[in-house]
Amino acid sequence: MSCENGDPGADPVLSVGRPHRRPALTREPTSDPASSKTPGTPRNNMHENRETSGASRVNRDRSGKANNHKPDRYAAEESDDAVVPMKLPNKGAQAPAEVVEGRASIEENSVESYTGPTQSGERVSQGLGGVRRVAQERKQERFTALLHHLTVDLLRESYYALKRNATPGVDGVRWSEYEDGLEGRLEDLHGRVHRGAYRAQPSRRIYIPKEDGRQRPLGIAALEDEIVQQAVVTILNQIYEVDFRGFSYGFRPGRSPHQALDALNVGIQRKRVNWILDADIRRFFDHMDHEWTMKFVAHRVADNRVLRLIRKWLKAGVSEDGEWSETKVGTPQGAVASPLLANVYLHYVFDLWAEVWREKVARGT
């Protein structure tokens, strides 16, 4: 493990998963976006980000949509000797409705080499399990070394997690075509990502009809972009699935609109409820501010290589009828990384605000 201070006086920054390294103490340059101030508590977070917290009312369960992609799966990887595997909850120890207001303590069983089950029931490797453990125990840590978790094995798992019949992006490559010579392709992709030679391609824009007659724009990423995005989302989920609040359901592994409705039903029946707010954020994906998105991600991620990957995806642009256009705001609906980035944005702008408001203001009558 290695430690790093993001700014003077801050808590040490922990680097997780790099095997057999001696501790080293360095400092990050403060000019990098990853050096932005790290929030200490939910209440402090909201004070620091007050510029954006009043943009709209919170949609408290965000249960209207579910992740279209298959569950993340993880590659086995070594971790630091000091990282101890997490413990798994007993099956059935916590009903979906019980997590509406947070994660309660539950009885646990020990495991030896794998941690935290994914949505599909697969185990998380010790390397990624170590990331999750540190994220859970140290809420102010900013992770400086994450990209080494992006291995060829993880890229392979990410490839098989994608939809097999998905519409191709600007590259025109379909899932089944990429499987021909897959190992060589993944080795090459892995090398380009780690050398910094990987270039994100623009999303191909298509439109689907909405119920009200309008058209919803979708951005279809190139296949290799989807693979890399899926791998990065798998890694970052180990951090953000610890941070996200229990009343957040949309686009999260192992959660569904049905669970959100179940939690809402339990809340209405068992608590004194005077009113319910039903809200929708108009064209949220299309208007996400890039700089604020990067600032929010940098609260927990200080690996500049991961931050550069995310910025590449945000700035890749869109291609419509063969014409490329720049994307100054927004993240494409349909991209693998977009749901997680949207949840990170909403976590800091809405969820933490709602939590503090409920504690300080919503006393009930």
Side-chain angles (χ1 to χ4, degrees):
M1 290 188 181
S2 64
C3 293
E4 181 174 338
N5 275 343
D7 56 313
D11 291 336
V13 177
L14 187 60
S15 170
V16 178
R18 209 178 275 282
H20 313 303
R21 292 286 299 274
R22 295 176 61 84
L25 187 64
T26 60
R27 288 186 181 272
E28 291 180 21
T30 57
S31 59
D32 191 272
S35 63
S36 61
K37 186 175 180 182
T38 306
T41 64
R43 185 170 289 102
N44 289 337
N45 286 344
M46 296 317 303
H47 292 324
E48 291 171 5
N49 299 320
R50 188 172 295 173
E51 294 91 334
T52 59
S53 63
S56 176
R57 297 293 184 186
V58 62
N59 182 355
R60 296 182 57 175
D61 61 18
R62 300 207 303 273
S63 61
K65 301 174 185 176
N67 196 335
N68 289 330
H69 291 278
K70 293 188 177 180
D72 299 332
R73 297 173 64 192
Y74 304 88
E77 187 171 351
E78 225 177 345
S79 67
D80 289 339
D81 293 338
V83 176
V84 181
M86 288 178 57
K87 295 180 179 181
L88 297 177
N90 288 328
K91 293 181 178 180
Q94 192 175 23
E98 296 174 338
V99 298
V100 64
E101 300 300 337
R103 297 173 177 82
S105 298
I106 53 178
E107 188 178 354
E108 297 174 328
N109 290 326
S110 297
V111 294
E112 295 182 357
S113 48
Y114 287 89
T115 64
T118 65
Q119 184 176 352
S120 62
E122 298 290 334
R123 304 293 190 200
V124 178
S125 70
Q126 284 192 28
L128 291 179
V131 174
R132 191 182 189 100
R133 178 181 177 85
V134 173
Q136 186 170 21
E137 294 178 350
R138 304 186 182 185
K139 298 298 185 180
Q140 297 185 40
E141 295 297 341
R142 297 173 65 234
F143 292 81
T144 60
L146 290 172
L147 193 66
H148 69 281
H149 290 290
L150 195 151
T151 63
V152 173
D153 288 336
L154 182 56
L155 290 174
R156 185 187 306 107
E157 298 291 344
S158 300
Y159 167 75
Y160 283 111
L162 299 177
K163 283 188 174 182
R164 286 157 170 72
N165 58 348
T167 303
V170 294
D171 58 347
V173 179
R174 295 184 178 274
W175 187 92
S176 57
E177 297 171 346
Y178 198 82
E179 194 172 23
D180 185 19
L182 178 63
E183 293 306 312
R185 293 176 187 265
L186 294 179
E187 289 279 358
D188 177 67
L189 179 59
H190 174 266
R192 282 184 279 130
V193 170
H194 285 270
R195 292 194 312 269
Y198 162 80
R199 296 292 181 267
Q201 299 187 61
S203 298
R204 185 167 73 91
R205 176 166 289 172
I206 63 174
Y207 295 88
I208 61 174
K210 299 178 65 173
E211 292 181 358
D212 59 5
R214 292 180 297 168
Q215 297 288 313
R216 182 191 302 276
L218 294 182
I220 309 301
L223 186 62
E224 284 195 337
D225 291 334
E226 288 190 320
I227 296 172
V228 179
Q229 288 185 29
Q230 180 69 40
V232 171
V233 166
T234 298
I235 296 169
L236 295 184
N237 269 342
Q238 303 312 305
I239 301 171
Y240 290 112
E241 280 302 302
V242 170
D243 287 358
F244 291 157
R245 294 306 189 252
F247 52 75
S248 170
Y249 285 85
F251 299 119
R252 292 183 58 184
R255 293 191 169 216
S256 68
H258 291 93
Q259 291 177 331
L261 290 172
D262 177 60
L264 181 62
N265 180 62
V266 171
I268 293 173
Q269 293 189 16
R270 297 183 183 178
K271 297 186 178 183
R272 297 177 61 184
V273 177
N274 295 326
W275 52 269
I276 297 173
L277 174 64
D278 182 10
D280 188 14
I281 304 174
R282 181 179 299 172
R283 300 183 64 188
F284 171 68
F285 282 89
D286 298 334
H287 292 97
M288 279 176 54
D289 184 274
H290 289 175
E291 292 308 312
W292 276 110
T293 300
M294 297 305 301
K295 287 179 181 179
F296 292 146
V297 172
H299 280 322
R300 288 293 248 166
V301 178
D303 189 330
N304 290 327
R305 299 168 300 172
V306 173
L307 294 174
R308 280 195 293 268
L309 282 175
I310 295 174
R311 192 175 290 277
K312 284 179 181 180
W313 297 327
L314 292 175
K315 300 294 185 182
V318 297
S319 177
E320 185 174 358
D321 297 329
E323 295 290 331
W324 179 86
S325 60
E326 183 181 4
T327 47
K328 296 181 179 180
V329 294
T331 181
Q333 294 188 58
V336 178
S338 292
L340 176 61
L341 295 179
N343 274 347
V344 171
Y345 198 105
L346 290 169
H347 172 72
Y348 288 106
V349 174
F350 291 116
D351 291 353
L352 296 181
W353 169 81
E355 190 172 63
V356 172
W357 177 84
R358 185 170 56 185
E359 292 175 357
K360 287 188 171 182
V361 180
R363 298 301 181 184
T365 55

